[in-house]
Amino acid sequence: MSVKSDRFAFVSLLAIALTLCANPVQAQFPQPDADGDYRRVNHHHWEVVDGDPNGLNCRMPDGCTYDDIMGYNCPGFTGNYLDYPIRGTLQVGQRFRGFFSNLGGTFRDNRGLPWVFVGENYDGNTRGCFVRANSNFVKPISLAVPSNLKQDTALPMTITFVEEMAGITVPDNNTTRSAYGGELRLYDVHIAKMFEVTHYFCQRERRGEIWWMYRAGGGSINMGRFRISCAQANTIANRFGLGKTETTTIRYSAEEGYRRVETFEIPILNLYGPNIPRWLDFTETFSPN
């Protein structure tokens, strides 16, 4: 490379750095590539920028839901996104929460172009469908975090992996009492931890589900056996969002008695504000198998 080229590259990088320093909020957002596409992006909050008066088309295969797609149970999910029926339109300025793919990012069509799933529409009714993840149509935004965050101190529990079975054992005899002095019960936080750990390991390893044995009272109370699929864990992570990480210790053992202990930084669900009653509604219907 010539000296002139080196100088040009240095000046370009300096200009980018100065721009990001002058715009710290912009720096935290995912940036599109040269074609305006947001690839490998798992950002939650988006805003429509497409000024077409007819709105931005949102497409979805007939008869399918997000859970169907995540569970590979949607025959119409072929990768030909432009051929999917239009479920509705989003207008410029509307904001929505995007849900991730099984790979933890935007979805790719058969041309390799990214799409984002409109999982929750904050300003309109159209949801449950795909829009193009391109800067001509959408942009990542930041939504203010409510000031009334729940107390999220880690609760005492033991998590084990034995072969393909996971276990969570808690010291509490009464899991219906408040976890942090509010609406969330100990039970609700324990279920959340199962989903957080499942989602984390589904992203790290090739697996389809994790079975959990839940015991209270230090192991003397059998709370049931719960199945959490990777698709369901991903749906929950998208629906509620993931926040800060929590240090989580996993104890591994096998029938032969071999044991090891590993510690992971696992993102926790955003269970605060309006998410609290939604999570309580979910845990009321999430039953052991």
Side-chain angles (χ1 to χ4, degrees):
M1 182 181 289
S2 67
V3 174
K4 183 177 179 180
S5 298
D6 283 342
R7 184 180 296 119
F8 177 78
F10 172 77
V11 171
S12 298
L13 291 173
L14 180 61
I16 293 172
L18 290 174
T19 299
L20 294 179
C21 289
N23 300 277
V25 174
Q26 181 182 358
Q28 71 183 6
F29 292 143
Q31 299 298 309
D33 64 16
D35 296 319
D37 287 322
Y38 293 98
R39 299 178 181 274
R40 302 181 183 277
V41 170
N42 59 2
H43 188 76
H44 280 293
H45 305 296
W46 300 82
E47 182 177 310
V48 177
V49 297
D50 183 13
D52 188 329
N54 295 319
L56 175 62
N57 290 334
C58 196
R59 299 175 179 274
M60 186 70 175
D62 284 331
C64 291
T65 66
Y66 175 79
D67 288 344
D68 291 333
I69 291 172
M70 300 305 290
Y72 303 101
N73 193 32
C74 174
F77 193 64
T78 62
N80 297 313
Y81 285 65
L82 288 176
D83 291 339
Y84 298 159
I86 298 172
R87 176 164 291 184
T89 59
L90 288 82
Q91 302 300 317
V92 63
Q94 287 189 348
R95 300 167 300 164
F96 65 90
R97 177 190 286 274
F99 286 5
F100 308 154
S101 72
N102 273 328
L103 296 179
T106 48
F107 293 76
R108 300 292 184 89
D109 64 17
N110 56 359
R111 302 168 297 170
L113 300 179
W115 295 67
V116 60
F117 187 84
V118 181
E120 183 177 1
N121 192 332
Y122 302 126
D123 304 309
N125 296 322
T126 298
R127 55 175 292 182
C129 44
F130 294 91
V131 296
R132 272 281 280 120
N134 183 280
S135 59
N136 289 321
F137 307 111
V138 296
K139 70 176 181 180
I141 60 171
S142 174
L143 291 182
V145 175
S147 59
N148 59 335
L149 290 177
K150 73 168 184 68
Q151 180 183 354
D152 51 12
T153 304
L155 299 179
M157 62 183 68
T158 300
I159 297 176
T160 58
F161 277 8
V162 182
E163 301 297 343
E164 298 300 321
M165 175 70 71
I168 179 169
T169 303
V170 300
D172 316 276
N173 290 316
N174 179 12
T175 60
T176 64
R177 66 181 179 85
S178 172
Y180 306 112
E183 295 178 87
L184 285 171
R185 303 165 299 175
L186 291 169
Y187 179 85
D188 302 312
V189 180
H190 298 157
I191 296 296
K193 177 55 68 176
M194 295 183 210
F195 273 88
E196 291 157 2
V197 173
T198 300
H199 179 264
Y200 181 81
F201 281 97
C202 284
Q203 299 296 314
R204 285 170 54 97
E205 305 169 2
R206 292 184 61 86
R207 60 170 72 218
E209 63 186 16
I210 293 180
W211 283 88
W212 288 87
M213 286 298 300
Y214 176 22
R215 294 185 175 89
S220 63
I221 303 173
N222 183 0
M223 300 291 290
R225 185 169 179 257
F226 295 80
R227 173 186 177 273
I228 303 178
S229 69
C230 289
Q232 187 179 26
N234 199 51
T235 297
I236 290 297
N238 280 302
R239 185 173 299 163
F240 291 89
L242 295 171
K244 73 171 194 176
T245 61
E246 187 172 271
T247 302
T248 304
T249 300
I250 308 289
R251 291 172 170 80
Y252 294 85
S253 61
E255 293 180 356
E256 294 81 6
Y258 172 76
R259 296 177 180 273
R260 76 178 191 276
V261 177
E262 293 188 27
T263 300
F264 304 89
E265 293 298 321
I266 297 180
I268 62 176
L269 294 169
N270 290 328
L271 300 184
Y272 55 78
N275 274 352
I276 291 179
R278 295 171 62 201
W279 184 248
L280 295 177
D281 288 341
F282 172 76
T283 57
E284 286 296 324
T285 61
F286 181 66
S287 304
N289 297 88

